[in-house]
Each structure stands twice: as C-alpha cells, then as structure tokens.
C-alpha cells in the first residue's frame, strides 16, 4: 500500500511487475493487488510458474486488469522441463495457460498478452526452438531469454555467458549463505 501510494504521487505512471524470487500466485490477495496496482500503473505484469493458474484465479487476474502474464517455461519437452524445474507439471502448466487465453477471449475478445520466460542453461539451450513452436500454439507472443543466475556450485556449470559474472567478480558463496 505504501508503494502504491508513492506511485500515485508520481508525475508518470510506471509499469508494475509482480515477480522475483517466489511465486506471486501463492499470495491469497494477488488479484486484488493487481487491481490496486492497475489504478496507478501504466501496465501491470506478473510472472508465474503457472502451477496455480486455475480457472478462478485466471478469471480474477484478467478482471483485475493484468496486462501481461509471463510464464516460466524452461523446456519444451516434459523431460527437459522436469530436469530444469524438478517438476513433472509441464502439461498442466500449458493447460493452465491455454485456459487463461480462453477465459480472456471470452471475457474481453481478442488475444491476451502472454509471455514465456526461458532461463537459458547449457542443459536446456537446445530446447529453445521447440519452446518457440510449442508456446506459439498456446498463444504466447512475447519471449524473454535470460542467463541463469547460479545459486549453487553445480549451477555455475550451467552458465552460458560468463562475462557478466566475471566482470562483477561474483561468487555464489558471497551471495547465498547456504553454499
């Protein structure tokens, strides 16, 4: 509420993005938060793993005015997705995204803005072309490809672009206390 009050006093309307570490859809008031953010923002976007995007919540987010739904999709095949995400739920997630698209079409007409976020790693980079084909079939029109931010020593081996980490002289143990 403090952030929204501060944003309301600004001379411009910013983009509000719900995401970061953690799953925004876990919060029981996320749809209300999106609606309140919509009052002071030029756009409201949210990133999710898609697991909790059931029919009721999808309808609530659409009604609240969510502009862009971003979905983390780190593999195009169930096997690759399970390897990266440690979850066997790719099929359910794709069904949830398709349902979101259908609900949007029924309530607003036209197409919703849905994006896919792909965390590129050595073990999944070959999945990117397949993800583009797969996601187009369910209505994804925006893509964001990012480099993995390793949080374990094993994940350091998955990094594709080392220059950014080397430039910062960053070590996972300096950032993550459990390593």
């Amino acid at each position: 509420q403090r952030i929204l009050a501060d944003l309301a006093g600004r001379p411009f309307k910013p983009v509000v993005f719900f995401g970061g570490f953690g799953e925004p859809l876990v919060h029981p008031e996320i749809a209300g938060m999106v609606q309140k953010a919509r009052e002071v923002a030029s756009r409201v976007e949210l990133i999710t793993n898609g697991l909790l995007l059931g029919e009721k919540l999808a309808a609530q987010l659409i009604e609240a005015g969510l502009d862009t739904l971003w979905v983390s999709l780190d593999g195009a095949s169930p096997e690759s997705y399970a390897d990266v995400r440690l979850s066997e739920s790719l099929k359910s997630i794709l069904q949830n995204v398709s349902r979101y698209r259908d609900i949007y079409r029924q309530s607003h007409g036209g197409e919703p803005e849905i994006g896919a976020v792909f965390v590129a790693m050595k073990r999944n980079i070959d999945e990117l072309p397949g993800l583009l084909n797969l996601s187009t079939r369910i209505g994804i029109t925006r893509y964001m490809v990012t480099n993995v931010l390793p949080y374990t020593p094993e994940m350091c081996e998955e990094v594709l672009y080392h220059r950014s980490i080397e430039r910062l002289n960053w070590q996972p143990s300096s950032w993550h206390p459990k390593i």
Side-chain angles (χ1 to χ4, degrees):
Q1 290 175 344
R2 277 191 321 235
I3 292 169
L4 293 179
D6 182 54
L7 293 177
R10 304 277 172 165
F12 60 90
K13 288 186 164 208
V15 173
V16 173
F17 185 89
F18 289 93
F21 286 101
E23 172 57 48
L25 299 187
V26 169
H27 197 289
E29 299 297 322
I30 189 63
M33 293 165 70
V34 166
Q35 184 174 16
K36 288 181 189 216
R38 194 71 193 101
E39 295 170 8
V40 298
S42 62
R43 300 183 50 78
V44 179
E45 302 183 6
L46 180 144
I47 186 169
T48 177
N49 62 23
L51 288 170
L52 300 176
L53 190 62
E55 185 173 350
K56 180 179 177 185
L57 185 52
Q60 290 172 341
L61 291 170
I62 292 165
E63 189 60 35
L66 184 65
D67 291 295
T68 305
L69 175 72
W70 290 95
V71 182
S72 296
L73 292 172
D74 299 322
S77 68
E79 299 79 20
S80 178
Y81 183 87
D83 180 47
V84 173
R85 286 282 171 167
L86 305 176
S87 170
E88 305 272 334
S89 34
L90 180 61
K91 182 178 178 182
S92 297
I93 292 165
L94 297 176
Q95 289 171 341
N96 289 347
V97 173
S98 292
R99 184 182 318 112
Y100 179 91
R101 179 184 186 197
D102 292 343
I103 293 169
Y104 186 95
R105 285 173 163 174
Q106 291 169 3
S107 64
H108 287 69
E111 294 293 324
E113 192 165 295
I114 304 172
V117 179
F118 181 85
V119 179
M121 298 181 277
K122 288 179 183 175
R123 68 177 162 193
N124 74 344
I125 192 65
D126 291 338
E127 291 279 305
L128 189 53
L131 177 67
L132 296 174
N133 291 332
L134 170 73
S135 58
T136 301
R137 291 195 309 260
I138 61 169
I140 291 176
T141 58
R142 299 185 69 190
Y143 298 90
M144 184 183 317
V145 178
T146 65
N147 192 20
V148 67
L149 177 61
Y151 53 86
T152 66
E154 296 79 22
M155 288 190 76
C156 289
E157 298 301 317
E158 293 291 336
V159 174
L160 292 171
Y161 308 103
H162 293 280
R163 227 178 354 176
S164 60
I165 291 174
E166 290 167 358
R167 190 173 354 176
L168 296 172
N169 195 22
W170 180 82
Q171 296 295 319
S173 59
S174 68
W175 178 73
H176 196 284
K178 294 182 181 178
I179 297 176

